[in-house]
């Protein structure tokens, strides 16, 4: 796992978001085992307590479950995965709209710009 840490946000939250992204993208499968807390801390070069907090938060949210003596596993609950996907998409859209508004565009201009981009990519056979 590769995380480029942003100093303005707590590291444990960034670890959670990266695990969520990996799950939503299909890089992690529901039910798959996560690295041990110590192994992930070593891999990311962060304090073990930081990873421990991330795992604890994810467990509290139902994203992972820890089986004593076996490890920590991504939930098999597809509803939780779908909720994460929707939440991340909504956050991305909100960020995009705010950025476009900061460029002076109104809602109609934003929609037109997006539609043109999608149509151009479709016509060229590119993935949208």
């Amino acid at each position: 796992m590769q995380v480029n840490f942003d100093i303005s946000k707590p590291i444990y939250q960034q670890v959670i978001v990266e695990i969520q992204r990996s799950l939503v993208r299909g890089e992690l499968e529901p039910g798959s085992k996560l690295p041990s807390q110590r192994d992930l801390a070593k891999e990311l070069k962060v304090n073990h307590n930081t990873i421990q907090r991330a795992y604890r938060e994810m467990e509290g949210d139902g994203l992972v479950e820890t089986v004593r003596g076996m490890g920590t596993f991504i939930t098999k609950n597809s509803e939780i995965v779908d909720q994460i996907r929707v939440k991340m998409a909504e956050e991305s859209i909100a960020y995009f709209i705010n950025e476009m508004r900061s460029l002076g565009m109104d809602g109609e201009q934003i929609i037109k710009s997006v539609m043109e981009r999608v149509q151009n990519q479709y016509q060229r056979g590119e993935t949208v």
Side-chain angles (χ1 to χ4, degrees):
M1 176 183 302
Q2 183 84 356
V3 181
N4 294 319
F5 293 113
D6 177 347
I7 61 171
S8 69
K9 298 175 187 165
I11 292 173
Y12 80 94
Q13 289 177 346
Q14 294 177 67
V15 170
I16 292 169
V17 168
E18 191 55 39
I19 290 171
Q20 290 173 333
R21 278 191 187 124
S22 295
L23 179 61
V24 167
R25 290 179 182 147
E27 296 163 3
L28 281 175
E29 296 290 326
S32 61
K33 185 177 181 186
L34 291 177
S36 73
Q37 294 175 14
R38 291 197 187 280
D39 287 347
L40 188 56
K42 187 183 286 187
E43 180 182 334
L44 297 178
K45 298 181 175 106
V46 299
N47 189 292
H48 167 263
N49 294 328
T50 300
I51 302 303
Q52 184 177 38
R53 181 165 182 191
Y55 277 35
R56 190 171 52 243
E57 294 271 336
M58 290 187 297
E59 191 161 19
D61 292 340
L63 177 58
V64 301
E65 65 176 289
T66 301
V67 180
R68 189 178 195 110
M70 299 283 291
T72 302
F73 299 84
I74 297 289
T75 185
K76 292 180 181 176
N77 184 338
S78 61
E79 287 179 25
I80 291 176
V81 176
D82 290 341
Q83 289 170 358
I84 292 168
R85 181 178 288 111
V86 168
K87 179 182 174 233
M88 294 181 97
E90 288 173 351
E91 289 171 353
S92 293
I93 291 167
Y95 177 80
F96 171 75
I97 290 170
N98 286 335
E99 287 295 306
M100 297 301 279
R101 287 193 186 276
S102 75
L103 297 173
M105 298 178 83
D106 63 23
E108 191 174 309
Q109 290 170 314
I110 294 169
I111 291 169
K112 182 180 177 193
S113 176
V114 170
M115 290 301 295
E116 287 174 358
R117 178 65 182 243
V118 169
Q119 288 172 349
N120 287 340
Q121 285 184 307
Y122 180 75
Q123 289 171 352
R124 290 191 306 251
E126 295 176 9
T127 304
V128 179

